Amino acid sequence: MTKAGILGMGRSLGDQVVTNLDFEQRLDTTDEWIRTRTGIEERRIASEQIDSSHMAFEAAKEALQQADTSPEELDLIIVATVTPDMAFPSVSAIIQEQLGASNAAAMDISAACAGFIYGIVTAQQFIENGAYKKILVVGVEKLSKITDMNDRNTAVLFGDGAGAAVLGPVSDDKGILAFELGADGTGGMHIHLQDEFLYMNGREVFKFAVRQMGESALGVIEKAGLTKEDVDFLVPHQANIRIMEASRERLDLPPEKMATTVKKYGNTSASSIPVAMVEELNNGKIKDGDVLVLVGFGAGLVWGAVALRWGR
Ligand code: COA
Protein backbone atom coordinates (compact mmCIF):
# COMPACT_ATOMS: atom_id res chain seq x y z
CA MET A 1 0.00 0.00 0.00
CA THR A 2 1.19 3.54 -0.80
CA LYS A 3 2.20 5.48 2.31
CA ALA A 4 1.24 9.18 2.54
CA GLY A 5 3.57 11.70 4.13
CA ILE A 6 4.50 15.36 4.19
CA LEU A 7 6.86 16.42 1.38
CA GLY A 8 7.28 20.08 2.32
CA MET A 9 5.79 22.83 4.49
CA GLY A 10 5.42 26.61 4.60
CA ARG A 11 3.79 29.34 6.66
CA SER A 12 2.76 32.97 6.77
CA LEU A 13 1.80 35.05 9.80
CA GLY A 14 -0.17 38.23 10.42
CA ASP A 15 1.97 41.25 9.61
CA GLN A 16 1.47 43.22 12.86
CA VAL A 17 2.98 42.29 16.22
CA VAL A 18 0.60 42.98 19.11
CA THR A 19 2.16 42.57 22.56
CA ASN A 20 0.54 42.01 25.96
CA LEU A 21 1.58 45.56 26.84
CA ASP A 22 -0.50 46.82 23.91
CA PHE A 23 -3.54 45.10 25.49
CA GLU A 24 -2.63 46.48 28.92
CA GLN A 25 -3.05 49.99 27.47
CA ARG A 26 -6.64 49.43 26.34
CA LEU A 27 -8.20 46.54 28.31
CA ASP A 28 -8.61 45.62 31.97
CA THR A 29 -5.77 43.09 31.80
CA THR A 30 -2.07 42.76 32.56
CA ASP A 31 0.95 41.25 30.86
CA GLU A 32 1.43 39.17 34.01
CA TRP A 33 -2.11 37.70 33.86
CA ILE A 34 -1.83 36.82 30.18
CA ARG A 35 1.63 35.27 30.50
CA THR A 36 0.89 33.20 33.58
CA ARG A 37 -2.60 32.01 32.52
CA THR A 38 -1.82 31.35 28.83
CA GLY A 39 1.93 31.51 28.11
CA ILE A 40 1.29 34.15 25.41
CA GLU A 41 3.57 37.20 25.17
CA GLU A 42 2.67 38.50 21.74
CA ARG A 43 0.64 37.54 18.68
CA ARG A 44 0.52 38.46 14.97
CA ILE A 45 -2.57 40.22 13.68
CA ALA A 46 -3.16 40.65 9.95
CA SER A 47 -3.88 44.15 8.65
CA GLU A 48 -7.34 44.86 7.31
CA GLN A 49 -6.40 44.36 3.66
CA ILE A 50 -4.84 40.93 4.35
CA ASP A 51 -7.44 38.17 4.31
CA SER A 52 -7.19 34.43 4.89
CA SER A 53 -6.55 33.69 1.21
CA HIS A 54 -3.50 36.00 1.18
CA MET A 55 -1.86 34.17 4.07
CA ALA A 56 -2.91 30.77 2.67
CA PHE A 57 -1.37 31.63 -0.70
CA GLU A 58 1.95 32.70 0.86
CA ALA A 59 2.17 29.57 3.02
CA ALA A 60 1.21 27.36 0.06
CA LYS A 61 3.88 28.84 -2.23
CA GLU A 62 6.55 28.09 0.38
CA ALA A 63 5.27 24.55 0.96
CA LEU A 64 5.28 23.79 -2.79
CA GLN A 65 8.84 25.06 -3.06
CA GLN A 66 9.98 22.97 -0.07
CA ALA A 67 8.24 19.93 -1.58
CA ASP A 68 9.83 20.45 -5.05
CA THR A 69 6.30 20.37 -6.42
CA SER A 70 4.84 22.54 -9.17
CA PRO A 71 1.27 23.87 -8.76
CA GLU A 72 0.20 21.89 -11.85
CA GLU A 73 1.12 18.64 -10.09
CA LEU A 74 -1.49 19.19 -7.38
CA ASP A 75 -4.56 16.95 -7.60
CA LEU A 76 -6.43 18.53 -4.70
CA ILE A 77 -6.30 21.58 -2.44
CA ILE A 78 -7.85 21.31 1.03
CA VAL A 79 -8.09 24.46 3.13
CA ALA A 80 -9.11 24.15 6.78
CA THR A 81 -10.57 27.40 8.05
CA VAL A 82 -13.47 28.89 10.00
CA THR A 83 -12.59 32.40 8.77
CA PRO A 84 -12.75 32.23 4.96
CA ASP A 85 -12.59 35.51 3.01
CA MET A 86 -16.30 35.00 2.24
CA ALA A 87 -18.79 32.12 2.39
CA PHE A 88 -17.98 31.28 -1.23
CA PRO A 89 -15.95 30.92 -3.33
CA SER A 90 -13.88 28.80 -0.95
CA VAL A 91 -10.37 29.84 0.08
CA SER A 92 -9.14 26.66 -1.64
CA ALA A 93 -10.69 27.74 -4.97
CA ILE A 94 -9.28 31.27 -4.58
CA ILE A 95 -5.73 30.01 -4.06
CA GLN A 96 -6.15 27.35 -6.77
CA GLU A 97 -6.47 30.22 -9.24
CA GLN A 98 -3.68 32.30 -7.64
CA LEU A 99 -1.23 29.39 -7.56
CA GLY A 100 -2.09 28.28 -11.11
CA ALA A 101 -2.95 24.81 -9.80
CA SER A 102 -5.08 24.15 -12.86
CA ASN A 103 -5.36 20.38 -12.34
CA ALA A 104 -6.45 20.54 -8.70
CA ALA A 105 -9.90 20.07 -7.21
CA ALA A 106 -10.57 22.39 -4.27
CA MET A 107 -12.54 22.23 -1.03
CA ASP A 108 -12.60 23.94 2.35
CA ILE A 109 -13.25 22.02 5.54
CA SER A 110 -14.46 23.34 8.88
CA ALA A 111 -12.98 21.70 11.95
CA ALA A 112 -11.82 24.82 13.79
CA CYS A 113 -8.48 24.42 15.57
CA ALA A 114 -8.33 20.71 14.66
CA GLY A 115 -8.75 21.61 10.97
CA PHE A 116 -5.18 20.92 9.88
CA ILE A 117 -5.31 17.43 11.42
CA TYR A 118 -8.67 16.74 9.70
CA GLY A 119 -7.12 18.07 6.47
CA ILE A 120 -4.03 15.88 6.42
CA VAL A 121 -6.03 12.80 7.40
CA THR A 122 -8.43 13.49 4.50
CA ALA A 123 -5.49 13.92 2.13
CA GLN A 124 -3.95 10.68 3.41
CA GLN A 125 -7.04 8.70 2.34
CA PHE A 126 -6.92 9.96 -1.27
CA ILE A 127 -3.18 9.26 -1.54
CA GLU A 128 -3.22 5.83 0.09
CA ASN A 129 -6.12 4.57 -2.03
CA GLY A 130 -4.26 5.65 -5.15
CA ALA A 131 -6.80 8.24 -6.36
CA TYR A 132 -4.45 11.24 -6.01
CA LYS A 133 -0.69 11.77 -5.76
CA LYS A 134 -0.10 15.32 -4.54
CA ILE A 135 -2.38 17.24 -2.21
CA LEU A 136 -1.93 20.67 -0.67
CA VAL A 137 -3.38 21.09 2.82
CA VAL A 138 -3.54 24.57 4.34
CA GLY A 139 -4.70 25.59 7.81
CA VAL A 140 -5.46 29.31 7.83
CA GLU A 141 -7.26 31.66 10.15
CA LYS A 142 -7.87 35.37 10.44
CA LEU A 143 -9.50 35.08 13.86
CA SER A 144 -9.01 38.80 14.45
CA LYS A 145 -12.02 39.46 12.24
CA ILE A 146 -14.35 37.47 14.53
CA THR A 147 -12.74 38.47 17.84
CA ASP A 148 -14.23 41.24 19.95
CA MET A 149 -11.11 43.28 20.71
CA ASN A 150 -12.90 44.81 23.71
CA ASP A 151 -13.50 41.42 25.36
CA ARG A 152 -10.53 40.54 27.56
CA ASN A 153 -11.72 36.91 27.80
CA THR A 154 -10.94 36.28 24.12
CA ALA A 155 -9.05 39.25 22.63
CA VAL A 156 -5.70 38.36 24.19
CA LEU A 157 -5.73 34.70 23.12
CA PHE A 158 -5.75 34.63 19.34
CA GLY A 159 -3.52 35.44 16.39
CA ASP A 160 -3.68 35.25 12.58
CA GLY A 161 -1.67 32.94 10.36
CA ALA A 162 -1.45 30.14 7.82
CA GLY A 163 0.50 26.89 7.67
CA ALA A 164 0.67 24.60 4.65
CA ALA A 165 1.85 21.11 3.78
CA VAL A 166 2.17 19.24 0.50
CA LEU A 167 1.36 15.56 0.98
CA GLY A 168 2.32 12.77 -1.36
CA PRO A 169 3.62 9.20 -1.49
CA VAL A 170 6.66 8.47 0.72
CA SER A 171 8.76 5.39 1.41
CA ASP A 172 7.19 2.54 3.38
CA ASP A 173 8.90 3.37 6.69
CA LYS A 174 7.94 7.10 6.61
CA GLY A 175 4.74 9.11 6.63
CA ILE A 176 1.47 8.88 8.55
CA LEU A 177 1.43 5.88 10.88
CA ALA A 178 -1.98 6.31 12.53
CA PHE A 179 -4.70 8.87 13.14
CA GLU A 180 -7.60 9.52 15.44
CA LEU A 181 -10.46 11.96 14.82
CA GLY A 182 -13.40 12.69 17.07
CA ALA A 183 -16.24 15.04 17.88
CA ASP A 184 -18.62 15.79 20.73
CA GLY A 185 -21.31 18.16 19.52
CA THR A 186 -22.84 18.33 22.99
CA GLY A 187 -20.07 20.80 23.88
CA GLY A 188 -20.81 23.03 20.89
CA MET A 189 -22.00 25.95 22.98
CA HIS A 190 -18.63 26.24 24.74
CA ILE A 191 -17.05 27.99 21.71
CA HIS A 192 -19.32 29.37 19.05
CA LEU A 193 -19.83 32.29 16.73
CA GLN A 194 -22.72 34.44 17.85
CA ASP A 195 -23.70 37.36 15.63
CA GLU A 196 -20.28 38.58 14.55
CA PHE A 197 -18.06 37.48 17.43
CA LEU A 198 -16.54 34.37 18.93
CA TYR A 199 -17.92 33.46 22.34
CA MET A 200 -16.04 31.09 24.64
CA ASN A 201 -16.51 29.43 28.01
CA GLY A 202 -12.79 29.25 28.73
CA ARG A 203 -12.97 27.09 31.81
CA GLU A 204 -15.07 24.36 30.12
CA VAL A 205 -12.88 24.36 27.02
CA PHE A 206 -9.81 24.14 29.23
CA LYS A 207 -11.08 21.05 31.07
CA PHE A 208 -12.10 19.35 27.82
CA ALA A 209 -8.77 20.18 26.16
CA VAL A 210 -6.59 18.88 29.00
CA ARG A 211 -8.48 15.58 29.05
CA GLN A 212 -8.87 15.10 25.29
CA MET A 213 -5.39 16.13 24.15
CA GLY A 214 -3.76 13.57 26.45
CA GLU A 215 -6.18 10.80 25.53
CA SER A 216 -5.91 11.43 21.79
CA ALA A 217 -2.13 11.55 21.88
CA LEU A 218 -1.92 8.28 23.83
CA GLY A 219 -4.61 6.73 21.60
CA VAL A 220 -2.80 7.49 18.36
CA ILE A 221 0.50 6.19 19.73
CA GLU A 222 -1.18 2.89 20.55
CA LYS A 223 -2.88 2.71 17.14
CA ALA A 224 0.53 3.16 15.51
CA GLY A 225 1.82 0.16 17.48
CA LEU A 226 4.23 2.41 19.38
CA THR A 227 4.84 3.31 23.01
CA LYS A 228 5.44 6.69 24.65
CA GLU A 229 9.18 5.98 24.57
CA ASP A 230 9.12 5.90 20.76
CA VAL A 231 7.90 9.50 20.45
CA ASP A 232 10.61 12.00 19.49
CA PHE A 233 8.57 15.20 19.32
CA LEU A 234 5.10 16.45 20.24
CA VAL A 235 3.34 19.19 18.27
CA PRO A 236 0.21 20.14 20.22
CA HIS A 237 -2.31 22.77 19.15
CA GLN A 238 -0.89 26.03 20.49
CA ALA A 239 -3.81 27.33 22.56
CA ASN A 240 -2.49 27.65 26.09
CA ILE A 241 0.88 26.58 27.53
CA ARG A 242 -0.85 24.95 30.52
CA ILE A 243 -2.95 22.68 28.26
CA MET A 244 0.15 21.86 26.20
CA GLU A 245 2.22 21.04 29.30
CA ALA A 246 -0.50 18.68 30.53
CA SER A 247 -0.31 16.75 27.21
CA ARG A 248 3.47 16.64 27.35
CA GLU A 249 3.39 15.27 30.88
CA ARG A 250 0.92 12.53 29.84
CA LEU A 251 3.57 11.39 27.32
CA ASP A 252 6.46 11.73 29.84
CA LEU A 253 8.36 13.95 27.40
CA PRO A 254 10.94 16.58 28.48
CA PRO A 255 10.17 20.25 27.62
CA GLU A 256 12.62 20.33 24.71
CA LYS A 257 10.59 17.63 22.93
CA MET A 258 7.50 19.78 22.49
CA ALA A 259 6.84 22.58 19.97
CA THR A 260 6.02 25.86 21.72
CA THR A 261 5.21 28.84 19.56
CA VAL A 262 2.19 30.01 21.58
CA LYS A 263 4.43 32.57 23.31
CA LYS A 264 5.10 34.43 20.04
CA TYR A 265 2.00 33.78 17.95
CA GLY A 266 -0.86 33.05 20.40
CA ASN A 267 -3.59 30.64 19.29
CA THR A 268 -3.73 30.74 15.48
CA SER A 269 -6.39 28.01 15.33
CA ALA A 270 -6.18 25.80 12.20
CA SER A 271 -2.71 27.14 11.41
CA SER A 272 -1.15 26.62 14.83
CA ILE A 273 0.14 23.06 14.30
CA PRO A 274 1.71 23.59 10.83
CA VAL A 275 3.12 26.99 11.87
CA ALA A 276 4.75 25.33 14.90
CA MET A 277 6.07 22.49 12.74
CA VAL A 278 7.76 24.92 10.33
CA GLU A 279 9.30 26.77 13.28
CA GLU A 280 10.71 23.57 14.78
CA LEU A 281 11.92 22.29 11.39
CA ASN A 282 13.81 25.58 10.98
CA ASN A 283 15.21 25.21 14.52
CA GLY A 284 16.47 21.72 13.65
CA LYS A 285 14.27 20.14 16.33
CA ILE A 286 12.36 17.94 13.85
CA LYS A 287 14.73 15.59 12.06
CA ASP A 288 14.48 12.92 9.38
CA GLY A 289 13.13 9.68 10.86
CA ASP A 290 11.65 11.30 13.98
CA VAL A 291 8.33 10.01 15.27
CA LEU A 292 6.02 13.01 15.68
CA VAL A 293 2.67 13.22 17.41
CA LEU A 294 0.40 16.07 16.27
CA VAL A 295 -2.65 16.66 18.43
CA GLY A 296 -5.35 19.33 18.36
CA PHE A 297 -8.81 20.25 19.63
CA GLY A 298 -11.26 22.98 18.85
CA ALA A 299 -14.77 24.32 18.48
CA GLY A 300 -17.35 21.66 17.72
CA LEU A 301 -16.12 20.30 19.98
CA VAL A 302 -13.71 18.32 17.80
CA TRP A 303 -10.29 16.76 18.16
CA GLY A 304 -7.70 14.90 16.15
CA ALA A 305 -4.27 13.35 16.42
CA VAL A 306 -1.74 11.95 13.97
CA ALA A 307 1.40 9.90 14.54
CA LEU A 308 3.90 10.16 11.71
CA ARG A 309 7.49 9.38 10.92
CA TRP A 310 9.07 12.49 9.46
CA GLY A 311 10.76 12.34 6.07
CA ARG A 312 10.15 11.12 2.54
N1 COA B 1 -7.02 39.59 31.95
C1 COA B 1 -7.39 39.56 33.25
N2 COA B 1 -8.38 38.79 33.70
C2 COA B 1 -9.02 38.01 32.82
C3 COA B 1 -8.68 37.99 31.46
C4 COA B 1 -7.64 38.83 31.03
N3 COA B 1 -7.24 38.89 29.74
N4 COA B 1 -9.48 37.13 30.82
C5 COA B 1 -10.29 36.62 31.76
N5 COA B 1 -10.02 37.15 32.95
C6 COA B 1 -10.71 36.91 34.20
C7 COA B 1 -12.14 36.50 34.00
O1 COA B 1 -12.95 37.64 33.87
C8 COA B 1 -12.42 35.71 35.24
O2 COA B 1 -12.69 36.59 36.28
P1 COA B 1 -13.81 36.24 37.38
O3 COA B 1 -13.34 34.95 38.02
O4 COA B 1 -13.77 37.41 38.26
O5 COA B 1 -15.07 36.06 36.61
C9 COA B 1 -11.10 35.06 35.50
O6 COA B 1 -10.09 35.80 34.84
C10 COA B 1 -11.04 33.67 34.93
O7 COA B 1 -10.18 33.02 35.75
P2 COA B 1 -9.93 31.51 35.47
O8 COA B 1 -11.13 30.84 34.95
O9 COA B 1 -9.23 30.93 36.64
O10 COA B 1 -8.91 31.63 34.29
P3 COA B 1 -8.25 30.43 33.61
O11 COA B 1 -7.05 30.03 34.35
O12 COA B 1 -9.28 29.38 33.28
O13 COA B 1 -7.77 31.07 32.25
C11 COA B 1 -8.32 30.96 29.96
C12 COA B 1 -8.70 31.51 31.32
C13 COA B 1 -9.33 31.46 28.94
C14 COA B 1 -6.94 31.45 29.59
C15 COA B 1 -8.33 29.41 30.02
O14 COA B 1 -9.54 28.97 30.58
C16 COA B 1 -8.16 28.76 28.69
O15 COA B 1 -7.11 28.85 28.08
N6 COA B 1 -9.18 28.02 28.21
C17 COA B 1 -9.12 27.34 26.96
C18 COA B 1 -9.34 28.32 25.86
C19 COA B 1 -8.96 27.78 24.53
O16 COA B 1 -8.05 27.03 24.37
N7 COA B 1 -9.70 28.21 23.50
C20 COA B 1 -9.42 27.91 22.17
C21 COA B 1 -9.94 26.60 21.78
S1 COA B 1 -9.25 26.10 20.28
Side-chain angles (χ1 to χ4, degrees), residues 125-153:
Q125 310 314 311
F126 283 108
I127 293 164
E128 293 190 348
N129 76 17
Y132 289 146
K133 273 213 159 62
K134 301 263 178 103
I135 301 179
L136 171 69
V137 178
V138 185
V140 62
E141 226 69 85
K142 190 180 178 186
L143 282 183
S144 58
K145 67 181 179 186
I146 56 163
T147 304
D148 179 355
M149 290 300 173
N150 296 314
D151 174 13
R152 68 175 185 174
N153 291 299

Side-chain angles (χ1 to χ4, degrees), residues 28-29 33-34 37-38 113 152-153 156-158 191 200 202-203 205-206 237 239-240 242-243 267 297-298:
D28 180 16
T29 189
W33 190 97
I34 303 170
R37 309 310 283 168
T38 73
C113 302
R152 68 175 185 174
N153 291 299
V156 301
L157 301 177
F158 301 108
I191 332 181
M200 186 180 70
R203 231 170 260 185
V205 175
F206 190 92
H237 170 44
N240 181 316
R242 294 184 292 142
I243 298 171
N267 177 353
F297 68 95

Side-chain angles (χ1 to χ4, degrees), residues 69-281:
T69 298
S70 72
E72 293 83 4
E73 286 176 76
L74 291 175
D75 299 304
L76 175 64
I77 299 173
I78 299 172
V79 173
T81 187
V82 294
T83 49
D85 299 21
M86 55 193 109
F88 52 87
S90 59
V91 174
S92 50
I94 295 172
I95 65 167
Q96 188 250 14
E97 192 264 326
Q98 291 172 343
L99 291 167
S102 48
N103 300 308
M107 65 171 169
D108 284 10
I109 60 173
S110 171
C113 302
F116 182 74
I117 304 266
Y118 271 72
I120 59 173
V121 171
T122 304
Q124 176 201 2
Q125 310 314 311
F126 283 108
I127 293 164
E128 293 190 348
N129 76 17
Y132 289 146
K133 273 213 159 62
K134 301 263 178 103
I135 301 179
L136 171 69
V137 178
V138 185
V140 62
E141 226 69 85
K142 190 180 178 186
L143 282 183
S144 58
K145 67 181 179 186
I146 56 163
T147 304
D148 179 355
M149 290 300 173
N150 296 314
D151 174 13
R152 68 175 185 174
N153 291 299
T154 52
V156 301
L157 301 177
F158 301 108
D160 300 331
V166 176
L167 280 87
V170 292
S171 47
D172 289 350
D173 58 338
K174 301 277 173 66
I176 297 176
L177 306 171
F179 73 85
E180 182 170 299
L181 300 177
D184 177 8
T186 63
M189 78 296 273
H190 296 321
I191 332 181
H192 67 276
L193 190 69
Q194 193 172 317
D195 302 322
E196 55 186 315
F197 291 131
L198 179 156
Y199 163 85
M200 186 180 70
N201 181 340
R203 231 170 260 185
E204 284 303 321
V205 175
F206 190 92
K207 281 192 283 184
F208 154 74
V210 166
R211 187 185 67 247
Q212 195 57 53
M213 293 271 277
E215 274 170 26
S216 298
L218 289 172
V220 85
I221 291 168
E222 197 184 321
K223 277 190 186 166
L226 302 172
T227 64
K228 289 193 270 192
E229 290 70 34
D230 297 315
V231 177
D232 295 298
F233 205 70
L234 172 67
V235 189
H237 170 44
Q238 308 283 308
N240 181 316
I241 192 72
R242 294 184 292 142
I243 298 171
M244 294 158 55
E245 290 294 350
S247 314
R248 182 177 68 71
E249 282 162 18
R250 287 286 293 274
L251 300 195
D252 298 325
L253 285 171
E256 64 275 14
K257 291 198 168 188
M258 178 174 77
T260 45
T261 54
V262 68
K263 183 172 157 179
K264 289 200 290 186
Y265 308 133
N267 177 353
T268 60
S269 187
S271 81
S272 97
I273 289 175
V275 162
M277 286 176 79
V278 172
E279 181 112 351
E280 302 300 7
L281 280 163

